[in-house]
Amino acid sequence: MKTRLKSLILVIAIITSASTFAQKKEIKASESKINWVGKKVTGEHSGTLSLSQGFLVFEGENLTGGEFVVDMTSLKVTDLEGEYKQKLEGHLSSDDFFGIENHKTAKLVVTKAKKTDNGYKIAGDLTIKGKTNPISFELAVSGDSATTKLMVDRTKYDIKYGSGSFFDNLGDKTINDEFELAVELKM
């Protein structure tokens, strides 16, 4: 009887420690925000994207992984209105940019998270238009939220339209290769 009781206590202790060892925290997609900014020689445009789903993995208090899926069909331009807004959203959705008809989602998989003084240095794999490339950025985690600003080089995902790195004589029509994402995640 004592042996069974000790075995039961040991099993409970193992299950309890394993469940607190790695914890998957689901992201509240509807409460999270993704804002984007794309710049060109003559100005910039901004907008939003929506998160479809995501989670972060913690071991104890430390972030160790995660995965996020972005709904590319949610792409919106917020700095224009009317006809110009519709035209830019259509162009960004086209194969010149994100090819949303064939690539409805983008995905980020966190492969490594290193604790820093200000949060975490994240390494991951970002997939846009079916192309996957490594990316790194800083992520601040506080309570039930996480925030970051990261730069994405669109040319690594075969988005070369208006890129001065690939086309000559674009002049003031040149679009920066990198765009910025400001992300606020709610858990």
Side-chain angles (χ1 to χ4, degrees):
M1 186 71 162
K2 279 185 173 183
T3 305
R4 283 189 182 183
L5 184 58
K6 285 181 182 179
S7 296
L8 181 59
I9 292 171
L10 180 60
V11 168
I12 291 172
I14 290 171
I15 291 171
T16 304
S17 68
S19 66
T20 58
F21 186 70
Q23 180 184 9
K24 183 177 174 181
K25 289 190 176 184
E26 294 293 328
I27 301 300
K28 297 175 183 172
S30 63
E31 295 177 30
S32 298
K33 297 178 187 176
I34 304 172
N35 294 305
W36 60 263
V37 175
K39 296 182 180 183
K40 55 186 182 174
V41 171
T42 58
E44 65 182 46
H45 290 292
S46 58
T48 61
L49 287 162
S50 296
L51 192 65
S52 292
Q53 60 186 355
F55 62 86
L56 290 172
V57 177
F58 290 86
E59 290 184 12
E61 295 291 316
N62 293 317
L63 176 65
T64 59
E67 187 172 301
F68 307 92
V69 178
V70 175
D71 176 5
M72 294 303 293
T73 67
S74 71
L75 184 132
K76 298 287 182 241
V77 172
T78 57
D79 67 309
L80 298 173
E81 294 181 6
E83 178 185 345
Y84 293 109
K85 172 185 170 70
Q86 290 175 345
K87 281 184 178 181
L88 183 54
E89 286 176 353
H91 196 201
L92 292 173
S93 297
S94 77
D95 288 337
D96 281 346
F97 285 92
F98 296 102
I100 292 173
E101 186 175 322
N102 295 316
H103 305 282
K104 295 185 182 346
T105 62
K107 185 177 183 178
L108 172 69
V109 177
V110 175
T111 57
K112 188 176 183 181
K114 182 180 178 187
K115 186 93 169 116
T116 67
D117 291 339
N118 299 321
Y120 294 89
K121 177 74 173 177
I122 301 296
D125 291 325
L126 178 62
T127 303
I128 299 174
K129 281 184 82 171
K131 302 211 178 317
T132 302
N133 287 287
I135 192 164
S136 62
F137 55 92
E138 299 287 330
L139 181 71
V141 178
S142 178
D144 286 339
S145 67
T147 57
T148 189
K149 281 191 178 180
L150 62 141
M151 300 301 290
V152 178
D153 182 346
R154 65 188 176 97
T155 64
K156 291 181 177 181
Y157 303 93
D158 201 27
I159 306 169
K160 298 175 183 170
Y161 181 89
S163 169
S165 299
F166 292 89
F167 302 101
D168 293 329
N169 303 319
L170 292 172
D172 65 359
K173 304 255 190 248
T174 302
I175 302 169
N176 291 12
D177 289 347
E178 290 188 319
F179 62 91
E180 178 182 301
L181 294 175
V183 182
E184 183 179 332
L185 303 171
K186 297 292 182 182
M187 296 175 262

